[in-house]
Amino acid sequence: YFQNAEVVAGHEGLLRIVKWAHVLEIVHVDNFLVGEELVLTTGISLQHGIEDFMTFIESLIDKNCAALCIEYGSSIQAVPEAILAIANRHQFPIIVFHEAVPFVRITQDLHSQIINQQYLMVSTLESYSQTLNKNTVLGQNTDDILQNMYNELKTQIMFSIKGREPIFFPNMTKSNRQQLLALNKYAQQFKHEPIFIFDQHYADLTIFREDGLFSEFELLILDRTATALAQLLMREFYIEEKKNIEDASILADWIDQK
């Protein structure tokens, strides 16, 4: 259905995530959207004036919708330049169909694909979690965990324990590491997951994407991996504490024998 469609605005936002498709024929949409929807309309409610169109497009942008698809026909034959300017400014895609298309088939096909992707994501996430748990029993180390994470995401990973130099996985040249560290840590290209040990903020696990477009799957993998690293650190603390106690006991016995 999109073969003959035309992107008339917001080309830079075409990689936005689509979580659902929704047909809307009203101007005031705040109560019908939650974000990341692909909105389809014939424009029947937008033909009465530019003000209604402005309200509509601004609401979609404010709700962080993925894109707007408009079917050209008796209700609307062109998108006003002012609307195109707003969409381009916010990198919000507007896609037009130059002929009638079956919205019901589009929504059915998209929803089926989205549901299948969700099922695949859940299955992959479950398998990943099982691998982490299995490797924990087998005595995995930090590098093993980060390798597993990289195998799934194929993106730059940073693991930072407070007071220590961060670990980059895969490793980077010194100049590239410095460039990455020079960026604002709160920039959209980063996603951080704090790691707490004994209620103290002990470390951070971070992933980096140049485009800043992180999927739900990537964020879930980040969360699961941070949990595995926290468990590993707790185990290392326990082993170290147990060793310290044993050393102290040996020293005490030696002193007593003196």
Side-chain angles (χ1 to χ4, degrees):
Y1 304 111
F2 287 87
Q3 278 186 330
N4 298 320
E6 179 187 2
V7 181
V8 295
H11 292 76
E12 295 180 358
L14 288 175
L15 294 179
R16 288 171 178 245
I17 294 171
V18 177
K19 288 190 174 179
W20 208 244
H22 202 2
V23 179
L24 288 174
E25 299 294 359
I26 57 176
V27 173
H28 301 286
V29 299
D30 287 356
N31 295 329
F32 300 93
L33 299 169
V34 296
E36 298 183 327
E37 294 95 343
L38 177 70
V39 176
L40 302 103
T41 185
T42 63
I44 193 170
S45 62
L46 308 176
Q47 59 184 326
H48 305 298
I50 189 68
E51 293 80 8
D52 286 343
F53 212 144
M54 286 279 193
T55 299
F56 183 68
I57 197 71
E58 288 173 351
S59 295
L60 298 187
I61 292 171
D62 289 343
K63 281 292 186 176
N64 192 35
C65 289
L68 170 65
C69 296
I70 303 173
E71 179 188 276
Y72 281 172
S74 58
S75 300
I76 184 171
Q77 296 80 42
V79 180
E81 287 296 327
I83 301 299
L84 297 178
I86 292 174
N88 282 324
R89 187 163 64 248
H90 292 277
Q91 300 179 11
F92 179 73
I94 297 179
I95 303 166
V96 299
F97 299 106
H98 293 280
E99 54 190 25
V101 291
F103 280 180
V104 64
R105 294 297 301 275
I106 292 175
T107 55
Q108 284 178 344
D109 290 349
L110 281 173
H111 291 167
S112 295
Q113 186 173 355
I114 289 169
I115 290 170
N116 289 337
Q117 287 179 342
Q118 284 290 111
Y119 176 78
L120 178 61
M121 181 186 73
V122 171
S123 299
T124 304
L125 191 64
E126 179 63 25
S127 176
Y128 178 75
S129 298
Q130 289 178 357
T131 299
L132 288 180
N133 293 335
K134 178 181 177 181
N135 288 343
T136 298
V137 174
L138 297 176
Q140 66 180 351
N141 56 35
T142 300
D143 285 343
D144 295 329
I145 294 177
L146 297 181
Q147 179 68 63
N148 287 333
M149 185 181 186
Y150 180 76
N151 290 342
E152 290 293 341
L153 301 184
K154 295 296 189 291
T155 192
Q156 185 63 51
I157 304 166
M158 289 178 289
F159 178 51
S160 308
I161 295 178
K162 290 185 177 296
R164 303 185 194 176
E165 287 293 318
I167 298 172
F168 293 82
F169 201 99
N171 200 8
M172 307 174 72
T173 64
K174 183 178 180 180
S175 60
N176 287 340
R177 291 199 301 267
Q178 290 174 340
Q179 289 178 9
L180 206 59
L181 293 173
L183 296 175
N184 186 334
K185 65 177 294 187
Y186 299 108
Q188 67 175 5
Q189 292 96 329
F190 295 104
K191 284 297 180 182
H192 307 279
E193 188 67 30
I195 296 173
F196 291 88
I197 304 295
F198 303 121
D199 295 326
Q200 299 295 317
H201 186 183
Y202 184 77
D204 287 286
L205 181 64
T206 303
I207 52 178
F208 172 83
R209 281 183 63 104
E210 189 69 43
D211 57 15
L213 299 175
F214 295 94
S215 67
E216 182 182 4
F217 177 72
E218 288 171 319
L219 299 181
L220 289 171
I221 289 290
L222 177 65
D223 175 75
R224 297 294 193 280
T225 310
T227 300
L229 286 169
Q231 293 172 345
L232 174 63
L233 292 170
M234 285 290 292
R235 187 181 69 190
E236 289 177 350
F237 274 125
Y238 171 77
I239 293 173
E240 183 66 24
E241 184 65 20
K242 184 178 179 182
K243 183 177 182 301
N244 290 338
I245 292 173
E246 289 175 350
D247 290 345
S249 177
I250 293 172
L251 180 61
D253 290 343
W254 182 78
I255 291 174
D256 289 342
Q257 291 172 4
K258 285 287 188 177

